[in-house]
Structure formats: C-alpha cells, structure tokens
Amino acid sequence: MSYDLKLRVWRGDQDGGDLQDYTVEVSEGEVVLDALHRLQATQTGDLAIRWNCKAGKCGSCSAEINGRPRLMCMTRLSDFEPSETITVTPMRTFPVIRDLVTDVSFNYRKARELPYAELGPRDADGKRRMAQVDVERGQEFRKCIECFLCQDVCHVVRDHEDNKDAFAGPRFFIRAAELDMHPLDARDDRANFARDSQGLGMSNITKCCSDVCPEHIKITDNAIIPMKERVVDRKYDPVRWLGKTITRRKD
C-alpha cells in the first residue's frame, strides 16, 4: 500500500537555510531514509544526505526527526500517522555543511585526545591472557557505531558551544570507561584523565545520551556514573590518601 507522505526538510548550508515542505509517495514498510531517497530521485536531486549501509550499523545517517536525534535508516514510517508531517533537520550540535549533512570533525578531534591502550608485559610464554568475564565487561561499549547521536543530544555541548574545548562527550566517556576496566591496559590514570581533560564532571547524568543510542548502550549507568565513582574513590579515599602521603614522605 502506498500513500503520500508530507515531509518538511531543512535545506541550506553554513550561511543559513530554512524548512521546505514536500509531498512524496511512499510504501508500507519503508523508513525515513527511503522517503528522502525517493524525494532526492524525483524532486530534489541536489538534496545532501549522508548515509552508507542503510542497516543501522555505519552510523552515517544521523539526523533529527521531529526534533529527536535518530538514525534515518532505522526510523520506520509506520511509527508515524500517515497524515502526520515528518520534519527532518540536521544534528543541531554540529556545524551544517549542507542540508542534512553536518561537520562531525569535533568527535574525531576528541578521539585523538584519548590515550590509546598501553599493554603491560606479556606472560612468560609470550602471550597475554584475560578472563572471559573481563572481556564481557567492556563488550557493551564496543557496540558503538559512532553515529554521534549521544554527542548531539548532550546539552553540555548542544546548548553551550564554549564547552566543546573542555568536554569530550558521552561517546568518549564510554571509550575511557572501556579502557579503564580493561585488565591488559597498563595505564592507571583513565579516571583522572576523564576528570581533568575530558570534562567528566560537567556531565549531569540526565541519561538523554542513553535514550537515543541505537545500540541501546547504557552510557550513563554503565560508563559515566562508574567513572564518576572511580574519580571520587581515587581522589578522596582516605586509605589511598594515606598511602600517597606515606610514599611522598619516604621519597
């Protein structure tokens, strides 16, 4: 069954733009990206859209649909009433390049700032071993497809452009948490780095990042809150403080 869908799409570039209304024929079972592709093919050949796999695994087609950050390829038209107008706009947190395509290079800069894993010495037989339970602890975070929807919805940078220099965002908090719990990573300053260089303390754990994650990663509960707890433990734990004090005195 087909019907005429009302679309409202943001058109423009870094110098400005506005919402434009379209009507496009769609079919049952399609997603928002299908509708935009048909619009592009039949009415607006110059419409700029970023996409790749159309299977919810590449993270390319991030946008805001009726004001909510979502993947266009995973947002089914059946989620909306046929008479409803679907509004598609670019991610608000990042600078617009053209139409629905934004410049997400902020995230790549933040990725480069995060120290890589530093592996400790190998076992006597030349191998490195870790328990299966330790593998599973960080497995959830490796599902991230870097759609940057969590970055887009995080109001720390969404509403405050000046915070971008000091704040890495949810995507990189889960990376820091993954490395901090990795038994083969020899670094012991991940929590302090998250506090001092990634702006962990600026996150107020509203869980909006978890709510928009297409991979259903519990970013707040399993990464941000535990990292905050480790920061507090390492900074204010009296036993640690006493041990550091005694060590300094011996030196």
Side-chain angles (χ1 to χ4, degrees):
M1 183 183 72
S2 62
Y3 65 95
D4 288 337
L5 173 70
K6 295 177 182 178
L7 274 176
R8 185 168 293 150
V9 183
W10 195 90
R11 304 297 308 277
D13 56 26
Q14 62 268 28
D15 296 323
D18 56 19
L19 290 167
Q20 297 187 19
D21 291 316
Y22 302 96
T23 299
V24 61
E25 184 179 354
V26 296
S27 299
E28 186 177 357
E30 291 186 326
V31 295
V32 169
L33 186 58
D34 290 321
L36 289 170
H37 280 167
R38 188 166 294 111
L39 176 66
Q40 190 181 52
T42 60
Q43 300 178 44
T44 59
D46 61 343
L47 175 64
I49 310 171
R50 180 182 283 137
W51 71 283
N52 190 4
C53 74
K54 201 176 178 289
K57 293 302 177 184
C58 73
S60 299
C61 65
S62 299
E64 299 192 9
I65 301 172
N66 286 4
R68 180 180 174 84
R70 304 178 74 167
L71 293 178
M72 292 187 286
C73 72
M74 299 301 289
T75 305
R76 308 203 71 82
L77 296 179
S78 58
D79 293 341
F80 309 90
E81 293 296 328
S83 59
E84 185 176 355
T85 298
I86 298 178
T87 301
V88 187
T89 56
M91 289 191 289
R92 200 180 87 185
T93 299
F94 308 114
V96 170
I97 297 176
R98 189 161 69 87
D99 297 341
L100 301 179
V101 179
T102 53
D103 179 0
V104 295
S105 58
F106 160 79
N107 301 287
Y108 304 128
R109 291 196 302 273
K110 292 301 177 181
R112 288 192 292 269
E113 293 173 4
L114 183 63
Y116 292 103
E118 294 184 6
L119 301 181
R122 295 179 182 272
D123 296 338
D125 59 3
K127 298 180 180 180
R128 291 189 174 95
R129 294 174 174 83
M130 55 189 292
Q132 183 62 34
V133 65
D134 290 326
V135 175
E136 293 170 353
R137 286 179 66 201
Q139 195 66 38
E140 174 189 13
F141 304 138
R142 299 187 191 105
K143 295 192 300 181
C144 175
I145 60 175
E146 295 204 322
C147 60
F148 303 128
L149 293 177
C150 63
Q151 300 284 87
D152 178 48
V153 79
C154 182
H155 69 89
V156 177
V157 289
R158 183 182 178 91
D159 299 328
H160 306 280
E161 182 71 22
D162 293 344
N163 288 340
K164 284 187 176 180
D165 287 340
F167 188 74
R171 189 281 170 264
F172 301 103
F173 293 149
I174 67 173
R175 178 61 175 157
E178 176 193 346
L179 291 171
D180 191 49
M181 65 177 62
H182 200 297
L184 299 182
D185 184 22
R187 295 186 68 106
D188 61 358
D189 61 346
R190 298 287 180 186
N192 289 340
F193 181 84
R195 178 195 65 201
D196 299 334
S197 301
Q198 291 186 294
L200 180 66
M202 300 169 72
S203 172
N204 60 7
I205 57 176
T206 58
K207 296 190 179 183
C208 53
C209 51
S210 300
D211 289 342
V212 300
C213 178
E215 289 294 327
H216 307 292
I217 301 171
K218 296 180 179 178
I219 300 171
T220 305
D221 291 340
N222 293 350
I224 296 177
I225 291 177
M227 284 295 283
K228 282 177 172 283
E229 291 173 344
R230 287 196 284 275
V231 166
V232 172
D233 286 345
R234 294 172 188 182
K235 185 172 179 61
Y236 299 107
D237 180 64
V239 176
R240 286 178 176 269
W241 175 84
L242 181 60
K244 291 180 180 179
T245 302
I246 293 173
T247 302
R248 283 197 297 268
R249 287 177 179 175
K250 287 182 178 180
D251 294 342

